[in-house]
C-alpha cells in the first residue's frame, strides 16, 4: 500500500511537472518564427507553408508560433540568398526550392540536370530514396535541419513568339531563367539567350517584352496568370523538376523540446505531402484537367512526341555531362540507378 501511494504521488508530481516544463521551454521560445517562401497561397507551395504553420500552432497549443513571409521578403526579394540567411539564423525556417538553394549547395543542382527525371515516379525515387537521404545529410552538415520534401513540379517552357517543338525553335529567344548557372548553360546550349532574374522581376519583364519566354510548373503558369502577359505557347517537356524542402535553422530546431521537435517534423511531412498532391493535381494518373484548363485560356499547348523529346535530350547532353562533374559523379550515378529501379 505504501509503495502504491509513493507511485501515485510520483505520478502526480510528474503530471504536474510536465506542463511546468513546457511553460519553461515556451518561455525561452521566440514570440514568432519566420518562414520564408517565394510564393504565397493559392500556389501549392504557399498553401503547404501555411499548413505547416497551422499544424504546429495547433499541436503545440501555441507554444510555437510560425508565420509565413512570401515573396522572399526576408531576403529582400532575392530567393537565392534564402539558404544562407537560414543557415546564419537571419530567418528561422523556410519552405525552399532546391533550385534557389543550389548556388550554396551544389549537390541540389542534381534536380536541374536537363532531362534526368522522365516522370513523377522518378522524382519520388530520388526524394524518398538514398539520394534524398544523402542530400538531407549534406544540408544537416551545413547547419540546416531538413524535415520533409514538398514539390513545385516539372518546369515547362512558354513563350510569346511561336510553338516550341524542336531545339531550333528556341534559337534567339530571350528567356527568363532562375539564378542558377546550370539554367544559363542549358538554355545557351539550346540556342536561346537566357536572362537570370528573380521571380519578382519576371512577370514585369514578360509584360513589357523584355524577355520572350520563361519556364515554370503548370500550376505557376495558371495561378500567376502568365498566359495573360503574352505567353500563349506552352510546351510540356519535363526538362527539370523542382522539389521543395521544409527546413529549420539548426540552433532554432535544437532550442525546441524533443516533443516539439517531433511535432514540427511530423507537421512538415504532412504539409509536404499536401504540397505534392496539389502540385500534381490534374497532371497525373490519367487526369489531364490542368492541361485542359490551360488550353481553355487560349494557350497553344504542345505535347512532344518521343522523337521530339529526344532531340532536346541530345541537344543538352553536353551540359548534363559537364554538370555531372560539378555536382558529383557518384551522386548522379546514385540518382540514375534509383530512377532505373523505380
Amino acid at each position: 500500500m505504501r509503495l502504491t501511494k509513493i507511485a501515485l504521488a510520483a505520478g502526480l508530481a510528474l503530471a504536474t511537472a510536465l506542463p511546468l516544463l513546457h511553460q519553461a521551454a515556451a518561455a525561452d521560445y521566440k514570440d514568432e518564427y519566420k518562414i520564408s517562401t517565394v510564393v504565397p497561397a493559392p500556389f501549392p507551395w504557399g498553401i503547404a507553408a501555411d499548413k505547416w504553420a497551422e499544424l504546429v500552432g495547433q499541436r503545440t497549443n501555441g507554444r510555437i508560433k510560425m508565420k509565413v513571409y512570401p515573396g522572399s521578403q526576408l531576403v529582400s526579394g532575392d530567393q537565392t540568398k534564402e539558404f544562407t540567411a537560414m543557415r546564419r539564423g537571419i530567418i528561422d525556417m523556410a519552405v525552399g526550392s532546391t533550385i534557389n538553394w543550389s548556388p550554396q549547395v551544389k549537390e541540389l543542382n542534381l534536380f536541374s540536370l536537363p532531362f534526368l527525371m522522365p516522370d513523377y515516379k522518378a522524382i519520388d525515387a530520388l526524394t524518398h530514396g538514398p539520394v534524398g537521404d544523402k542530400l538531407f545529410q549534406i544540408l544537416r552538415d551545413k547547419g540546416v535541419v531538413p524535415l520533409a520534401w514538398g514539390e513545385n513540379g516539372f518546369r515547362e517552357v512558354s513563350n510569346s513568339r511561336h510553338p516550341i517543338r524542336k531545339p531550333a525553335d528556341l534559337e534567339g529567344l530571350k528567356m527568363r531563367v532562375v539564378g542558377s548557372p546550370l539554367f544559363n548553360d542549358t538554355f545557351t546550349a539550346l540556342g536561346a539567350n537566357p536572362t537570370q532574374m528573380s521571380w519578382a522581376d519576371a512577370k514585369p519583364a514578360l509584360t513589357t517584352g523584355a524577355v520572350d519566354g520563361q519556364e515554370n510548373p503548370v500550376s505557376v503558369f495558371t495561378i500567376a496568370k502568365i498566359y495573360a502577359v503574352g505567353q500563349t505557347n506552352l510546351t510540356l517537356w519535363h526538362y527539370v523538376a523542382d522539389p521543395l524542402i521544409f527546413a529549420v535553422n539548426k540552433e532554432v530546431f535544437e532550442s525546441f523540446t524533443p516533443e516539439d521537435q517531433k511535432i514540427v517534423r511530423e507537421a512538415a511531412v504532412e504539409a509536404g505531402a499536401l504540397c505534392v498532391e496539389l502540385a500534381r493535381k490534374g497532371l497525373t494518373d490519367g487526369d489531364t484537367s490542368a492541361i485542359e484548363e490551360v488550353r481553355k485560356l487560349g494557350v497553344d499547348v504542345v505535347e512532344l512526341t518521343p522523337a521530339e523529346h529526344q532531340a532536346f535530350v541530345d541537344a543538352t547532353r553536353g551540359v548534363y555531362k559537364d554538370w555531372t562533374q560539378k555536382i558529383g559523379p557518384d551522386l548522379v550515378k546514385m540518382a540514375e540507378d534509383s530512377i532505373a529501379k523505380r
Side-chain angles (χ1 to χ4, degrees):
M1 178 67 74
R2 184 167 178 271
L3 289 174
T4 301
K5 288 180 178 179
I6 292 172
L8 286 171
L12 287 170
L14 180 61
T16 303
L18 283 175
L20 293 176
L21 287 172
H22 281 310
Q23 291 172 14
D28 294 330
Y29 288 0
K30 294 183 180 182
D31 292 336
E32 176 187 284
Y33 292 92
K34 295 178 172 62
I35 307 173
S36 176
T37 68
V38 173
V39 293
F43 296 90
W45 191 342
I47 291 172
D50 288 342
K51 189 65 175 179
W52 186 24
E54 175 191 334
L55 291 174
V56 170
Q58 291 174 349
R59 295 172 185 179
T60 62
N61 296 315
R63 287 191 303 278
I64 300 177
K65 300 179 181 68
M66 295 158 56
K67 183 178 178 180
V68 178
Y69 287 81
S72 305
Q73 59 185 285
L74 299 177
V75 285
S76 302
D78 187 351
Q79 60 245 47
T80 62
K81 294 180 178 178
E82 186 178 71
F83 181 81
T84 298
M86 179 169 50
R87 181 174 58 186
R88 293 178 178 173
I90 298 171
I91 60 177
D92 305 305
M93 306 168 175
V95 181
S97 161
T98 51
I99 296 170
N100 293 335
W101 294 2
S102 64
Q104 290 79 42
V105 187
K106 66 175 183 177
E107 292 85 357
L108 293 179
N109 282 291
L110 176 74
F111 297 105
S112 300
L113 274 178
F115 303 103
L116 167 67
M117 297 162 286
D119 50 38
Y120 288 102
K121 288 183 179 179
I123 301 176
D124 294 339
L126 300 187
T127 57
H128 297 290
V131 169
D133 293 341
K134 175 69 174 177
L135 292 173
F136 270 22
Q137 184 57 55
I138 290 170
L139 294 176
R140 282 191 289 268
D141 292 343
K142 291 182 178 292
V144 167
V145 181
L147 304 177
W149 292 96
E151 189 173 299
N152 197 27
F154 275 111
R155 300 178 76 90
E156 318 295 5
V157 64
S158 73
N159 81 101
S160 60
R161 300 284 183 170
H162 49 245
I164 296 173
R165 284 194 172 275
K166 55 187 182 299
D169 293 330
L170 277 158
E171 188 73 35
L173 289 183
K174 294 175 290 185
M175 302 296 297
R176 177 265 173 176
V177 296
V178 295
S180 165
L182 176 46
F183 284 74
N184 254 5
D185 290 353
T186 297
F187 277 88
T188 298
L190 292 168
N193 295 324
T195 301
Q196 294 182 348
M197 60 179 67
S198 69
W199 172 245
D201 295 331
K203 198 169 181 183
L206 292 167
T207 301
T208 62
V211 292
D212 299 311
Q214 61 85 55
E215 45 77 60
N216 255 307
V218 171
S219 63
V220 174
F221 187 86
T222 53
I223 295 171
K225 298 183 179 180
I226 295 176
Y227 57 87
V229 290
Q231 298 293 291
T232 54
N233 299 285
L234 178 68
T235 296
L236 307 179
W237 63 345
H238 277 29
Y239 86 120
V240 301
D242 188 11
L244 306 175
I245 299 174
F246 291 69
V248 183
N249 168 272
K250 183 180 180 182
E251 291 183 3
V252 168
F253 192 72
E254 290 179 348
S255 73
F256 297 149
T257 65
E259 179 187 31
D260 284 345
Q261 288 178 357
K262 184 172 183 287
I263 289 171
V264 172
R265 186 184 300 277
E266 289 179 348
V269 171
E270 288 186 38
L274 173 64
C275 187
V276 172
E277 177 186 345
L278 293 175
R280 298 182 183 183
K281 187 176 181 181
L283 297 168
T284 59
D285 300 325
D287 179 4
T288 61
S289 57
I291 304 304
E292 296 311 312
E293 179 185 349
V294 174
R295 286 196 169 104
K296 289 177 182 177
L297 295 168
V299 177
D300 182 0
V301 180
V302 172
E303 297 184 71
L304 301 175
T305 67
E308 289 172 333
H309 184 271
Q310 188 60 44
F312 287 100
V313 175
D314 294 342
T316 56
R317 204 59 189 172
V319 176
Y320 187 105
K321 291 178 180 177
D322 288 345
W323 275 85
T324 292
Q325 299 305 312
K326 297 176 183 179
I327 294 166
D330 291 343
L331 180 61
V332 174
K333 180 65 163 59
M334 185 189 298
E336 291 170 342
D337 289 345
S338 295
I339 290 171
K341 293 174 183 176
R342 74 190 185 285

